[in-house]
Amino acid sequence: DVHARLYDPNGTPQAEQFLVNTLHQGAQQWPRAAMNEAGDFVIVWMHETGDPNVDTDIRARYFDRDGLPAGEALQLNTQVLGKQQYPAVAITGDGAFVTAWEDREPDSAAYDIRACITPPPISADFNGDLRVSFIDWASFALHWREQDRAAPADLNGDGIVDSRDLARFCRQWLRERIEEY
């Protein structure tokens, strides 16, 4: 299994260790983590499937700064045959992350490098127009202080629309404004 624990900048533990992976069959190895300036982080690792045709997968799981997961673990590789191994990860301020890993085809001595970009776990684009705009802000405001894990404005998945969700909304909105200029 892959476990993690949160620490403050001085090395003082902030919580008990917690389990990262959601699949438990097969070895979970080679974990790597990346954290953004908001304290949100992603952990990637190699999962041994136990299937001799598939061999290993690359998995990832996203967490907020309090160590709360934003959903289940994701399988990142689309190439399923062979050995997917040794992941590396980097994360942006809004939570998008890029993962790269080594891929070896079955019965081959050659290795390829694969990568994928994963968008932020929950987007503030509530109306689906591929932009975070004032229209999305109006929708966000309608859900303020709502306590429901299914609320679309619950951008960190903690079950309440609060200032942490507002911070995520603002980061996504600002990122788009910066990209426009």
Side-chain angles (χ1 to χ4, degrees):
D1 287 331
V2 175
H3 292 262
R5 189 170 188 187
L6 300 176
Y7 293 86
D8 73 10
N10 297 318
T12 304
Q14 297 300 295
E16 295 300 316
Q17 76 177 27
F18 55 92
L19 185 64
V20 174
N21 54 291
T22 54
L23 294 175
H24 302 288
Q25 67 278 16
Q28 317 296 321
Q29 303 173 344
W30 205 260
R32 296 291 179 259
M35 180 181 282
N36 64 18
E37 62 275 3
D40 299 331
F41 60 99
V42 64
I43 299 175
V44 299
W45 68 95
M46 183 175 79
H47 163 73
E48 286 189 8
T49 66
D51 181 339
N53 295 319
V54 176
D55 208 7
T56 58
D57 288 327
I58 301 299
R59 301 273 172 170
R61 196 158 188 203
Y62 187 91
F63 297 86
D64 73 9
R65 68 179 182 193
D66 296 320
L68 297 171
E72 296 297 314
L74 306 170
Q75 178 178 322
L76 300 181
N77 57 293
T78 55
Q79 171 71 21
V80 294
L81 298 178
K83 195 169 194 85
Q84 318 298 311
Q85 58 191 9
Y86 310 127
V89 66
I91 188 171
T92 64
D94 71 350
F97 60 95
V98 62
T99 308
W101 64 92
E102 189 177 275
D103 166 35
R104 190 179 97 220
E105 300 279 331
D107 303 322
S108 172
Y111 288 87
D112 292 322
I113 301 297
R114 305 260 184 207
C116 73
I117 298 173
T118 307
I122 302 173
S123 174
D125 175 21
F126 303 123
N127 67 351
D129 66 356
L130 304 177
R131 299 189 66 223
V132 178
S133 66
F134 186 73
I135 295 168
D136 300 303
W137 167 252
S139 179
F140 181 88
L142 287 174
H143 295 282
W144 185 252
R145 290 296 194 200
E146 193 170 302
Q147 293 187 24
D148 180 0
R149 286 202 180 270
D154 182 16
L155 297 175
N156 68 350
D158 68 354
I160 185 169
V161 180
D162 59 10
S163 60
R164 288 191 227 169
D165 302 298
L166 176 59
R168 266 184 209 266
F169 181 93
C170 292
R171 281 194 304 270
Q172 290 183 30
W173 183 83
L174 283 170
R175 181 174 183 216
E176 286 190 16
R177 301 297 81 74
I178 290 168
E179 289 173 358
E180 286 177 1
Y181 299 101

mmCIF file of all heavy atoms in Angstrom, residues 33-37 40-42 62-63 89-98:
data_model
loop_
_atom_site.group_PDB
_atom_site.id
_atom_site.type_symbol
_atom_site.label_atom_id
_atom_site.label_comp_id
_atom_site.label_asym_id
_atom_site.label_seq_id
_atom_site.Cartn_x
_atom_site.Cartn_y
_atom_site.Cartn_z
ATOM 1 N N ALA A 33 5.169 12.397 -5.162
ATOM 2 C CA ALA A 33 4.167 13.408 -4.818
ATOM 3 C C ALA A 33 4.604 14.766 -5.334
ATOM 4 O O ALA A 33 5.791 15.033 -5.500
ATOM 5 C CB ALA A 33 3.972 13.460 -3.306
ATOM 6 N N ALA A 34 3.610 15.611 -5.596
ATOM 7 C CA ALA A 34 3.848 17.006 -5.966
ATOM 8 C C ALA A 34 2.786 17.850 -5.267
ATOM 9 O O ALA A 34 1.622 17.443 -5.165
ATOM 10 C CB ALA A 34 3.769 17.193 -7.474
ATOM 11 N N MET A 35 3.197 19.034 -4.778
ATOM 12 C CA MET A 35 2.288 19.924 -4.067
ATOM 13 C C MET A 35 2.352 21.307 -4.704
ATOM 14 O O MET A 35 3.422 21.760 -5.097
ATOM 15 C CB MET A 35 2.703 20.012 -2.594
ATOM 16 C CG MET A 35 1.819 20.932 -1.757
ATOM 17 S SD MET A 35 2.347 21.025 -0.031
ATOM 18 C CE MET A 35 1.708 19.478 0.579
ATOM 19 N N ASN A 36 1.189 21.959 -4.804
ATOM 20 C CA ASN A 36 1.179 23.330 -5.329
ATOM 21 C C ASN A 36 1.189 24.335 -4.179
ATOM 22 O O ASN A 36 1.177 23.956 -3.005
ATOM 23 C CB ASN A 36 0.013 23.553 -6.295
ATOM 24 C CG ASN A 36 -1.348 23.419 -5.658
ATOM 25 O OD1 ASN A 36 -1.502 23.479 -4.441
ATOM 26 N ND2 ASN A 36 -2.358 23.248 -6.485
ATOM 27 N N GLU A 37 1.202 25.636 -4.527
ATOM 28 C CA GLU A 37 1.315 26.678 -3.500
ATOM 29 C C GLU A 37 0.091 26.738 -2.585
ATOM 30 O O GLU A 37 0.177 27.263 -1.484
ATOM 31 C CB GLU A 37 1.574 28.051 -4.138
ATOM 32 C CG GLU A 37 0.485 28.539 -5.057
ATOM 33 C CD GLU A 37 0.601 28.034 -6.498
ATOM 34 O OE1 GLU A 37 1.504 27.249 -6.809
ATOM 35 O OE2 GLU A 37 -0.249 28.417 -7.302
ATOM 36 N N ASP A 40 -2.532 21.852 -2.101
ATOM 37 C CA ASP A 40 -3.151 20.682 -2.719
ATOM 38 C C ASP A 40 -2.028 19.816 -3.280
ATOM 39 O O ASP A 40 -0.982 20.330 -3.693
ATOM 40 C CB ASP A 40 -4.085 21.092 -3.857
ATOM 41 C CG ASP A 40 -5.221 21.977 -3.384
ATOM 42 O OD1 ASP A 40 -5.627 21.854 -2.212
ATOM 43 O OD2 ASP A 40 -5.701 22.789 -4.185
ATOM 44 N N PHE A 41 -2.227 18.511 -3.290
ATOM 45 C CA PHE A 41 -1.161 17.644 -3.771
ATOM 46 C C PHE A 41 -1.718 16.430 -4.489
ATOM 47 O O PHE A 41 -2.892 16.073 -4.342
ATOM 48 C CB PHE A 41 -0.235 17.231 -2.623
ATOM 49 C CG PHE A 41 -0.907 16.480 -1.499
ATOM 50 C CD1 PHE A 41 -0.842 15.099 -1.433
ATOM 51 C CD2 PHE A 41 -1.570 17.167 -0.496
ATOM 52 C CE1 PHE A 41 -1.446 14.404 -0.386
ATOM 53 C CE2 PHE A 41 -2.176 16.490 0.555
ATOM 54 C CZ PHE A 41 -2.112 15.105 0.614
ATOM 55 N N VAL A 42 -0.865 15.829 -5.282
ATOM 56 C CA VAL A 42 -1.204 14.612 -6.012
ATOM 57 C C VAL A 42 -0.101 13.596 -5.741
ATOM 58 O O VAL A 42 1.073 13.953 -5.603
ATOM 59 C CB VAL A 42 -1.376 14.879 -7.530
ATOM 60 C CG1 VAL A 42 -0.091 15.339 -8.168
ATOM 61 C CG2 VAL A 42 -1.922 13.651 -8.239
ATOM 62 N N TYR A 62 -5.610 12.620 -6.111
ATOM 63 C CA TYR A 62 -5.508 14.053 -5.802
ATOM 64 C C TYR A 62 -6.085 14.307 -4.409
ATOM 65 O O TYR A 62 -7.109 13.733 -4.046
ATOM 66 C CB TYR A 62 -6.299 14.825 -6.859
ATOM 67 C CG TYR A 62 -6.146 16.309 -6.776
ATOM 68 C CD1 TYR A 62 -5.156 16.959 -7.494
ATOM 69 C CD2 TYR A 62 -6.989 17.075 -5.985
ATOM 70 C CE1 TYR A 62 -5.007 18.335 -7.429
ATOM 71 C CE2 TYR A 62 -6.851 18.442 -5.902
ATOM 72 C CZ TYR A 62 -5.854 19.065 -6.631
ATOM 73 O OH TYR A 62 -5.705 20.421 -6.563
ATOM 74 N N PHE A 63 -5.422 15.188 -3.649
ATOM 75 C CA PHE A 63 -5.853 15.530 -2.289
ATOM 76 C C PHE A 63 -5.830 17.044 -2.098
ATOM 77 O O PHE A 63 -4.996 17.734 -2.687
ATOM 78 C CB PHE A 63 -4.906 14.913 -1.249
ATOM 79 C CG PHE A 63 -4.896 13.414 -1.262
ATOM 80 C CD1 PHE A 63 -4.069 12.728 -2.127
ATOM 81 C CD2 PHE A 63 -5.708 12.696 -0.406
ATOM 82 C CE1 PHE A 63 -4.050 11.337 -2.146
ATOM 83 C CE2 PHE A 63 -5.699 11.310 -0.410
ATOM 84 C CZ PHE A 63 -4.871 10.631 -1.289
ATOM 85 N N VAL A 89 5.833 13.330 -11.302
ATOM 86 C CA VAL A 89 4.647 14.178 -11.365
ATOM 87 C C VAL A 89 4.988 15.619 -11.010
ATOM 88 O O VAL A 89 5.902 15.878 -10.227
ATOM 89 C CB VAL A 89 3.530 13.628 -10.429
ATOM 90 C CG1 VAL A 89 3.944 13.707 -8.971
ATOM 91 C CG2 VAL A 89 2.201 14.312 -10.661
ATOM 92 N N ALA A 90 4.250 16.555 -11.622
ATOM 93 C CA ALA A 90 4.312 17.984 -11.292
ATOM 94 C C ALA A 90 2.883 18.513 -11.315
ATOM 95 O O ALA A 90 2.034 18.009 -12.057
ATOM 96 C CB ALA A 90 5.178 18.734 -12.304
ATOM 97 N N ILE A 91 2.606 19.542 -10.490
ATOM 98 C CA ILE A 91 1.239 20.062 -10.359
ATOM 99 C C ILE A 91 1.249 21.581 -10.510
ATOM 100 O O ILE A 91 2.198 22.247 -10.121
ATOM 101 C CB ILE A 91 0.633 19.637 -8.995
ATOM 102 C CG1 ILE A 91 -0.856 19.977 -8.895
ATOM 103 C CG2 ILE A 91 1.411 20.237 -7.854
ATOM 104 C CD1 ILE A 91 -1.541 19.380 -7.673
ATOM 105 N N THR A 92 0.168 22.122 -11.105
ATOM 106 C CA THR A 92 0.025 23.566 -11.268
ATOM 107 C C THR A 92 -0.775 24.149 -10.099
ATOM 108 O O THR A 92 -1.346 23.412 -9.294
ATOM 109 C CB THR A 92 -0.708 23.905 -12.584
ATOM 110 O OG1 THR A 92 -2.041 23.383 -12.507
ATOM 111 C CG2 THR A 92 0.013 23.338 -13.789
ATOM 112 N N GLY A 93 -0.869 25.458 -10.052
ATOM 113 C CA GLY A 93 -1.600 26.138 -8.989
ATOM 114 C C GLY A 93 -3.073 25.803 -8.941
ATOM 115 O O GLY A 93 -3.675 25.801 -7.881
ATOM 116 N N ASP A 94 -3.676 25.512 -10.099
ATOM 117 C CA ASP A 94 -5.111 25.203 -10.098
ATOM 118 C C ASP A 94 -5.397 23.722 -9.939
ATOM 119 O O ASP A 94 -6.546 23.312 -9.923
ATOM 120 C CB ASP A 94 -5.784 25.754 -11.351
ATOM 121 C CG ASP A 94 -5.417 25.007 -12.616
ATOM 122 O OD1 ASP A 94 -4.493 24.162 -12.584
ATOM 123 O OD2 ASP A 94 -6.045 25.263 -13.658
ATOM 124 N N GLY A 95 -4.358 22.896 -9.829
ATOM 125 C CA GLY A 95 -4.557 21.476 -9.584
ATOM 126 C C GLY A 95 -4.387 20.576 -10.786
ATOM 127 O O GLY A 95 -4.448 19.358 -10.651
ATOM 128 N N ALA A 96 -4.181 21.129 -11.980
ATOM 129 C CA ALA A 96 -3.861 20.275 -13.126
ATOM 130 C C ALA A 96 -2.491 19.659 -12.864
ATOM 131 O O ALA A 96 -1.641 20.272 -12.221
ATOM 132 C CB ALA A 96 -3.844 21.091 -14.415
ATOM 133 N N PHE A 97 -2.283 18.436 -13.328
ATOM 134 C CA PHE A 97 -0.965 17.843 -13.125
ATOM 135 C C PHE A 97 -0.539 17.036 -14.347
ATOM 136 O O PHE A 97 -1.360 16.573 -15.128
ATOM 137 C CB PHE A 97 -0.906 17.007 -11.844
ATOM 138 C CG PHE A 97 -1.849 15.843 -11.759
ATOM 139 C CD1 PHE A 97 -1.439 14.562 -12.128
ATOM 140 C CD2 PHE A 97 -3.135 16.008 -11.276
ATOM 141 C CE1 PHE A 97 -2.301 13.476 -12.011
ATOM 142 C CE2 PHE A 97 -4.010 14.933 -11.161
ATOM 143 C CZ PHE A 97 -3.583 13.660 -11.538
ATOM 144 N N VAL A 98 0.778 16.935 -14.502
ATOM 145 C CA VAL A 98 1.359 16.148 -15.588
ATOM 146 C C VAL A 98 2.152 15.016 -14.957
ATOM 147 O O VAL A 98 2.849 15.209 -13.953
ATOM 148 C CB VAL A 98 2.237 17.009 -16.527
ATOM 149 C CG1 VAL A 98 3.421 17.606 -15.793
ATOM 150 C CG2 VAL A 98 2.715 16.189 -17.718
#
